[in-house]
Amino acid sequence: MIELAPGLILHPARFSRAHQEALLADIREVVRAAPLFTPTMPRTGKPFSVRMTNCGSLGWVSDRDGGYRYQATHPLTGEPWPAMPPTLIDAWRELAGFDPPPEACLVNFYDAGARMGLHVDADEKEPRAPVLSFSLGAACLFRYGGPKRNDPTRSVKLSSGDVVVIGGESRFCYHGVDRLYPATSTLIANDARINLTLRRVTPA
Ligand code: SIN
Ligand code: FE2
């Protein structure tokens, strides 16, 4: 494991290929029940380049009128989110260092041109719980900085099977994804990447 910054821990190749395939199969089930949607920015309504869905009791959504928020239902189907697969809950137990279970798993689907601007994960009400991030498919350039938008940033390449723990002093650090690396996915077709983030949303 590599401490990128205090509390920001990279576990390279934490998941074996077999484990990645099992996770991907679980996520395909989730997407069948809760189709990917395109979130939009608060106020401007500008679409994200990443498509999303969720599993767990709560899911993160964003749109022009409602802004960033967690809610119990899919924004398009109105259905409750599918249950979180046990593989993910097991991973939280192993890696989070925080007993109460995660409530949300945000599934980010990046196609080859997608990116994610610098932001802080700040919509959760349990600051003691980390965010756990799992990478599947194409490699990406992940950027991270400090608690202020204009703090200096560094970047690291994340590959399929890597896990990042965003916790401790880095729980509210700015982070984002600059770009994907072409032709680096042997797991997902069309050079796509899936990122899963597990979150505790309500106070434990
Ligand atoms: C996120 O910050 O929500 C996504 C990070 C990633 O895709 O690695
Ligand atoms: Fe994030």
Side-chain angles (χ1 to χ4, degrees), residues 106 108 116-117 119-121 131 142 166 173 175-176 195 197 199:
L106 173 60
N108 287 320
M116 186 169 303
H119 66 277
V120 175
D121 291 8
V131 172
F142 178 77
I166 306 172
C173 73
H175 61 277
N195 167 263
T197 44
R199 295 111 183 278

Side-chain angles (χ1 to χ4, degrees), residues 50 52 60 106 108-110 115-117 119-121 131 133-135 140-143 158 164 166 175-177 180 193-197 199:
V50 172
M52 297 180 177
W60 189 89
L106 173 60
N108 287 320
F109 184 90
Y110 295 77
R115 54 185 297 282
M116 186 169 303
H119 66 277
V120 175
D121 291 8
V131 172
S133 160
F134 307 106
S135 291
C140 78
L141 187 64
F142 178 77
R143 185 163 296 282
L158 297 183
V164 179
I166 306 172
H175 61 277
V177 170
L180 304 195
R193 170 175 186 262
I194 292 176
N195 167 263
L196 309 175
T197 44
R199 295 111 183 278

